[in-house]
Amino acid sequence: MWRKLVLALIVVPLGLALIALAVVNRRPATLILDPFGGSEGGAALEAPLFLFLLGAFAFGLVVGGISTWLR
């Protein structure tokens, strides 16, 4: 009962929001990794914005899992 409720109230809307984000943000965005070098530095990545957001989510998930496991 609780699993179906959580699935209906959290997982489904989150999935729909991620799909909408992926469809809307298809144009490439530039992520500059060098805070002092400006935009002409070599430490820059260009990819769709939703990939950066999903990567940040995955990184936080891994770091949180490792910190919980080590605790």
Side-chain angles (χ1 to χ4, degrees):
M1 170 73 183
W2 285 104
R3 285 187 185 209
K4 289 183 181 181
L5 184 65
V6 168
L7 182 71
L9 293 178
I10 296 175
V11 176
V12 172
L14 185 61
L16 291 174
L18 288 175
I19 290 170
L21 183 67
V23 170
V24 171
N25 292 315
R26 290 182 297 190
R27 293 184 53 193
T30 303
L31 176 67
I32 300 172
L33 300 173
D34 185 12
F36 303 114
S39 63
E40 49 292 319
L45 299 171
E46 190 169 327
L49 181 62
F50 75 92
L51 287 179
F52 291 132
L53 295 175
L54 288 176
F57 174 72
F59 179 73
L61 186 68
V62 168
V63 169
I66 289 172
S67 66
T68 301
W69 185 68
L70 289 176
R71 191 172 180 193

